[in-house]
Amino acid sequence: MSLSTIIPIPKNRKKCLNESSNYRGIALGSLIGKVLDNIILCNNLNILTSSDLQFGFKPKHSTTQCTFVLNEIIDYYLRHNSSIYLVLLDASQAFDRVQYVKMFRLLIQRGICSLTARFLANLYTSQSIRVSWNGQISNSFTTSNGVKQGAILSPILFCIYMDVLLLELEKSRFGCHIGARYCGSFGYADDVCILAPSHNAIQSMLNICQNFAAEYDVKFNASKSQLLLFNCPTNVKDIELNNIPIQVSESGIHLGHHIGKNFNYDSISKGISDLVYRTNYVTAKFGFCNSLIKSHMFDTYCTSYYGCPLWNLRTRYINRFYVNWRKCVRRIWGVPWMTHGRILKHLIREQGQSIQTQLLSRFLSFYYDVVHSDNKYVSMCSLLCKMSNTNTASNLRLLLYTLNNNGDCFTRSSVLSIRKKLYCASDCSDECTAVGICVRELCLMRDGYYLPPFNQCTLTTLLHELCVN
């Protein structure tokens, strides 16, 4: 149970794989240890729960919700003609720098069973680690700090460790407020962002972060942190962390989502790049497979559309995503490049959902989770977005317009009916469905999945006529 194997995983395969900083060590532990982690977690749910300011590794929370809250607060202040100073803090090797003494002291202060705390302390302090690399396994060695990335309980403990900073910032009252509610800092594990309406306030908050880092051995990297200014004067004094000025940026990336200037264009461009990259990978590695198998792989591997609920589905940039999606589907199925778009949705999905309907359906699921969230900040922002100018508000209006509905009541019983209305609102005529099914069958005959009743030349001609004319 105390032995773990570290597997180095590249953070970004598009970057240099010879840089050690581009790797993240994932710990593989024993199954018995995972069972014990789950037992401890289930028996101490209330004790091991972080504040609503922390979004990391909590049920019914996500990175998209955290960025959604951030966008709504920024828009609220801009609509009231106020300035916003936003700092995205970068914590270097945060999981590896956790001090065991302080972490277990926090658990005891929260009221965890002393026997459980002693068991965890002995397990962590006596753990042995080895590294697996290129088929070779190193000798084991001991560690005196850090939590294992990949273990079930470790990220929960780390969030509690970082929750001290968020609560300290809330206690200081520096930062943004909406009414009497503090909205100045949010975290997702080691990703911390702080917001303030003035230069002095943001600097005071950074001083608190600096004191926390010194006490809890967390290293905030000023050179990799970003400062975003919204409706602020151009001649702003330097904002410093550890006596190092934080670089001012027009845009930044928060939990993988673009924020700041041109965020709509940057977000959709990133989605296009990811879609095309994954499609090229599937066609290059599995081009010998028939189109049905490649279609299943495309649906599983290429259609994550990370962060799409935060995209503006009414902007002109979204049409570029639709065009590239159609190109990718044509390439997966090997149909002519002039194949009608209304046929493609029947090739890639048997339900006949267009890409527009898919994105709206995902936004519907996201908005339902937001409306019914137990997090007080998420539920507050679900009310703010009805009056805001954010992408969420724009997508909500588009969804209601598509459904020809003036209300915005989203209950569990109504979600299924709304999905059916979305499907019916798209172009799914019987003639289009029949043509799509015929094209699927002809493509499978071409790939050898079925035995065609006519020669290959006739099959190609018929396929071209159905797709183009």
Side-chain angles (χ1 to χ4, degrees), residues 151-325:
I152 294 175
L153 198 57
S154 294
I156 310 296
L157 298 178
F158 180 79
C159 288
I160 293 175
Y161 195 79
M162 293 297 294
D163 205 36
V164 176
L165 172 61
L166 301 177
L167 294 175
E168 188 68 24
L169 290 170
E170 182 181 16
K171 183 180 178 181
S172 71
R173 307 305 294 173
F174 290 118
C176 293
H177 290 75
I178 296 181
R181 180 164 294 172
Y182 175 80
C183 303
S185 61
F186 298 97
Y188 194 97
D190 58 333
D191 288 287
V192 178
C193 64
I194 56 177
L195 308 93
S198 67
H199 179 278
N200 291 337
I202 198 70
Q203 187 61 65
S204 299
M205 296 176 75
L206 286 174
N207 294 338
I208 294 174
C209 295
Q210 185 175 331
N211 295 334
F212 168 83
E215 182 180 356
Y216 286 84
D217 198 26
V218 176
K219 183 180 179 181
F220 289 118
N221 193 336
S223 60
K224 291 186 177 180
S225 300
Q226 291 181 299
L227 171 63
L228 278 68
L229 306 178
F230 300 89
N231 198 25
C232 296
T234 55
N235 54 345
V236 177
K237 294 189 300 182
D238 288 340
I239 295 176
E240 298 180 348
L241 177 64
N242 299 323
N243 297 323
I244 300 175
I246 299 179
Q247 182 181 2
V248 178
S249 304
E250 291 185 344
S251 60
I253 298 179
H254 178 251
L255 302 175
H257 309 287
H258 288 268
I259 57 176
K261 187 177 181 181
N262 298 326
F263 66 96
N264 277 323
Y265 176 82
D266 293 337
S267 299
I268 296 174
S269 296
K270 183 177 181 298
I272 293 173
S273 177
D274 184 67
L275 174 65
V276 173
Y277 170 79
R278 291 174 179 266
T279 303
N280 290 341
Y281 182 86
V282 169
T283 54
K285 295 291 184 180
F286 304 96
F288 58 90
C289 299
N290 63 61
S291 299
L292 187 61
I293 294 177
K294 289 189 291 184
S295 178
H296 284 305
M297 296 187 67
F298 175 83
D299 200 29
T300 303
Y301 179 71
C302 306
T303 59
S304 64
Y305 310 146
Y306 178 75
C308 65
L310 299 180
W311 299 353
N312 191 335
L313 303 182
R314 304 179 75 174
T315 182
R316 65 180 186 276
Y317 302 127
I318 197 64
N319 292 323
R320 294 177 55 243
F321 184 83
Y322 297 155
V323 170
N324 281 273
W325 182 86

Side-chain angles (χ1 to χ4, degrees), residues 415-459:
V415 168
L416 184 60
S417 62
I418 292 175
R419 291 186 186 278
K420 290 182 179 179
K421 290 180 181 179
L422 280 176
Y423 174 72
C424 295
S426 61
D427 181 17
C428 52
S429 61
D430 294 338
E431 179 182 358
C432 184
T433 303
V435 172
I437 294 174
C438 290
V439 171
R440 280 173 61 96
E441 297 300 317
L442 290 175
C443 289
L444 294 177
M445 291 180 186
R446 177 201 59 198
D447 298 340
Y449 192 80
Y450 296 131
L451 183 64
F454 31 74
N455 58 42
Q456 194 72 20
C457 182
T458 305
L459 190 151

Side-chain angles (χ1 to χ4, degrees), residues 396-409:
L396 179 60
R397 298 184 191 105
L398 176 62
L399 180 64
L400 297 178
Y401 174 79
T402 304
L403 299 175
N404 194 21
N405 187 357
N406 294 324
D408 56 351
C409 180

